[in-house]
Amino acid sequence: MLYLVSFLWAQETDTEVLKQIDEAYQLEFAYLAAERESLKEQLARLDSRPMVELENSILQLESQLAAQRLARKEAEESLLRLEDRHAKQEEQSLALDSVLLQGAELYGLDGTDRYAKLQQLFTLSIADIEQSGQIQTETKKIIDVSGVEREASVVQIGQIAAFSGQNALRPAGDGYFQEVPDWGVQDKAKGELFLVEGFSKRVEETPEKTWKETLEAGGLVAYIIAGLGFLGLALAAARVLHLHRARRDPLEENFRQLTTSEVEEPLVGIRSQGLWELNQCEDVESLNDSADAILLQQKQALSIFGGAILVIAAVAPLLGLLGTVSGMISTFGIITEHGTGDPKLLSGGISEALITTQLGLMVAIPMVLLGNVLNGWAQSIFSNSEQIFLRFLAWKLKEGVRA
C-alpha cells in the first residue's frame, strides 16, 4: 500500500515538471520566431536598391583606378624618354664643349658665346682645309740647328710640312720655325717629310729614352726587375761555365785507362773523380751504393742554378704585372685629382704600367729559354755519365768483385 502511494505521488510530480518544460519551450519558440521575423526584415532591407548603387559605385571607382594606373604608366614612360633625351643632349653638349676647347687650343677662339665660337671654328677649319691643298712660299723666321735665329724662305705644304732649302722644319711657336736635326734632302728624296698637325702650336721632337730614364719612369718595380734580369744572366753564365767544365771532363778516356791499366793517382775531373771512387770499392754492395750516391751527387751538381733561373723567369712577369697595377692606380689617382684634360699628367702612370710589363717580359723570355736549354745540356751530360758508370759497373762485376 505504501509503495502505491509513493508511485502516485511521483507520477503527479512528473506531470508538473513536464508542464513547466512545455511552458518554457513555448516561450523560447516565440522568441526565436520574433528573431526570425527581425532577420527577414533586415535581409529585405539589404536586398533593396541602395546595395545595388553601392556595387555600381565600387565598379566605377575600380574603373577610374585602372585608368589612373594606365595614365601613371604612360607618364613614367614619357619621363624616361625625357630623361634619355636630356642625357643625350648633355652628352652632345659635352662633345661640343670638347670640340670648342680643341678649337680654342688650335685657333684661339674669341668670346663666350658657344654659337659664335662654333661659327669661328667652322670658318677657320674651312680656311685650313683650303690651305691644306696649297703650297706657299713665304719669308719666315727660323732657328737653325745651332740655335741661331735668321730669316729664310720657307716652303709650306698645306698645314702638314715645311722646309727651307735642304732642311726640314717644324713649328716652334710664335710664328717661328726650327730646323729638324738629321732630316735633310735625302729624306725628301725618299718621299719622307717631317709631318705636323698644323703650324699654330710648337712641335717638339721626342728624344729617345736611355736605359736609366726608362728605369726611372718604371719606378721601383722596374729596378727590381732589372736587378733580377742581371742576376739571372749571372747565374746562367756561371752555370754555362760549370757545364762546360763538366763537358770537357775526359770521362771516356779515364774509363778506358781504368779498364786497361792500373791507375794509382786520383783522376782529374768533375765526373772522373766518381770513377776513381768506384774503382776503390771491393765488394758488390759498396759498389752499388757508391754508384747510386755518386750519380745522385753529380746530378745535383749539374743542376746547380737551374731552379733559380726558372724561378726568375716565373717571377719577372708577376713583378711586371705588379708594376702595371701600381701604375694604373697612380693614373686613376691623377684622374681623380686633376681630371683627364692634360694628357701629360696621365702619361707618367701609364708609362710606369707599360714599362714594367715590358721589362718583365724582356727578362722572363730569355730566362725561360736559357733555363730550358741549360737543363737539356745538363741532362745530356748526366746521361753520358750514367752510361759510362753503368759500363764501369759491368766491368767491375766481370772482373770479379767480392759478393
Side-chain angles (χ1 to χ4, degrees), residues 20 26 29 35 60 96 125 156 173 195 205 208 228 243 253 355 367 400 403:
Q20 292 176 359
Q26 293 294 333
F29 181 78
E35 288 292 326
Q60 291 178 1
L96 179 59
S125 299
Q156 298 183 16
L195 302 180
E205 189 176 4
E208 295 184 1
L228 282 178
L243 294 178
E253 296 179 4
I355 285 174
M367 290 298 102

Side-chain angles (χ1 to χ4, degrees), residues 127-300:
D128 276 350
I129 293 173
E130 292 175 352
Q131 290 181 2
S132 62
Q134 299 177 0
I135 299 177
Q136 301 177 355
T137 302
E138 297 180 4
T139 301
K140 299 281 186 177
K141 293 181 179 180
I142 66 171
I143 302 173
D144 58 18
V145 179
S146 60
V148 178
E149 179 183 337
R150 59 186 177 85
E151 291 187 353
S153 177
V154 176
V155 179
Q156 298 183 16
I157 304 176
Q159 294 290 317
I160 60 172
F163 61 91
S164 175
Q166 306 253 337
N167 299 315
L169 302 176
R170 64 166 176 256
D174 297 331
Y176 283 82
F177 286 88
Q178 186 175 8
E179 292 182 353
V180 182
D182 301 327
W183 202 286
V185 68
Q186 66 274 13
D187 300 296
K188 294 193 291 293
K190 298 176 183 177
E192 299 175 359
L193 294 174
F194 189 86
L195 302 180
V196 295
E197 297 180 353
F199 300 126
S200 59
K201 60 181 180 180
R202 180 182 179 87
V203 175
E204 296 181 358
E205 189 176 4
T206 304
E208 295 184 1
K209 288 185 177 181
T210 62
W211 277 102
K212 183 178 179 181
E213 293 173 345
T214 302
L215 293 176
E216 290 178 353
L220 177 62
V221 178
Y223 282 101
I224 295 175
I225 295 174
L228 282 178
F230 285 116
L231 177 61
L233 289 176
L235 295 178
R239 191 178 186 195
V240 167
L241 292 176
H242 182 72
L243 294 178
H244 182 66
R245 289 177 55 195
R247 185 68 177 176
R248 292 185 60 186
D249 186 356
L251 186 61
E252 184 74 27
E253 296 179 4
N254 290 329
F255 169 73
R256 294 195 194 97
Q257 185 178 2
L258 285 173
T259 55
T260 56
S261 62
E262 294 184 359
V263 179
E264 297 180 357
E265 296 180 357
L267 300 177
V268 178
I270 298 175
R271 296 184 294 166
S272 298
Q273 293 176 359
L275 286 178
W276 171 262
E277 294 177 6
L278 286 180
N279 194 37
Q280 306 304 313
C281 298
E282 300 295 337
D283 56 85
V284 175
E285 184 178 357
S286 62
L287 186 66
N288 291 329
D289 293 341
S290 298
D292 292 337
I294 291 171
L295 285 175
L296 179 61
Q297 182 181 3
Q298 290 194 3
K299 186 175 184 179
Q300 292 176 350

Side-chain angles (χ1 to χ4, degrees), residues 255 258-259 275 278-279 388-396:
F255 169 73
L258 285 173
T259 55
L275 286 178
L278 286 180
N279 194 37
I388 294 178
F389 271 70
L390 290 175
R391 290 164 56 190
F392 186 77
L393 286 175
W395 176 80
K396 288 286 289 184

Side-chain angles (χ1 to χ4, degrees), residues 53 82 142 165 198 206 230 296 309 321 351 353 383:
E53 293 177 356
L82 289 175
I142 66 171
T206 304
F230 285 116
L296 179 61
I309 294 173
L321 180 61
S351 176
S383 298

